Amino acid sequence: MSAITPAHLADQAAEAIRNLNHATQSSKGELTYPSDAHEIVGPLNRLADRLPQSFDQISEFLDALAETSAVTADHGTAEDHIGEARSALASCALIAQTLAEHLERAHTALAPLGYDTAKEEPHTEA
């Protein structure tokens, strides 16, 4: 049995979001009440809130790897590519933090919403 790698975990997270995208399509009819949205946005907020740590840790890994002088590049210098990747990861961390803040706002806004079943049209049996 092989160990679960960070790359495998990232792939699982991406696949979970793909499945969520399918499940939240309006044609699927799986979303009915405001609480359905609230129950989805909360975990998405936690996901976004945790991403900066992953980006920072990958960046730290790249920095340590660069210090070994063992990294090569197909073109340009390895240092330039590592620097570009670290810069992009720092931007990703900031964007994920902003995303988490907006998801928290959405989650808070959804919290007081309910659904008045009395306003539904009565179902008639044929």
Side-chain angles (χ1 to χ4, degrees):
M1 179 178 200
S2 63
I4 296 177
T5 65
H8 179 76
L9 293 170
D11 189 54
Q12 284 181 319
E15 187 64 18
I17 293 300
R18 185 183 76 77
N19 289 331
L20 175 63
N21 290 343
H22 287 284
T24 55
Q25 291 174 346
S26 61
S27 63
K28 300 283 183 182
E30 294 189 32
L31 300 177
T32 305
Y33 305 108
S35 61
D36 296 336
H38 184 261
E39 290 173 355
I40 296 167
V41 172
L44 288 174
N45 177 36
R46 290 192 303 277
L47 181 145
D49 192 49
R50 293 172 180 165
L51 284 173
Q53 180 179 353
S54 294
F55 298 142
D56 291 344
Q57 291 171 179
I58 294 166
S59 185
E60 289 171 10
F61 162 74
L62 291 172
D63 188 43
L65 200 58
E67 291 179 13
T68 69
S69 300
V71 181
T72 64
D74 290 341
H75 59 85
T77 68
E79 293 81 16
D80 287 345
H81 290 288
I82 288 172
E84 180 63 25
R86 292 187 73 224
S87 175
L89 288 166
S91 294
C92 289
L94 290 172
I95 292 166
Q97 181 179 357
T98 301
L99 174 62
E101 290 167 3
H102 287 280
L103 285 166
E104 177 61 31
R105 284 181 49 216
H107 192 241
T108 300
L110 290 166
L113 298 179
Y115 188 83
D116 186 355
T117 57
K119 304 238 180 204
E120 289 182 347
E121 293 186 29
H123 297 286
T124 56
E125 304 268 335

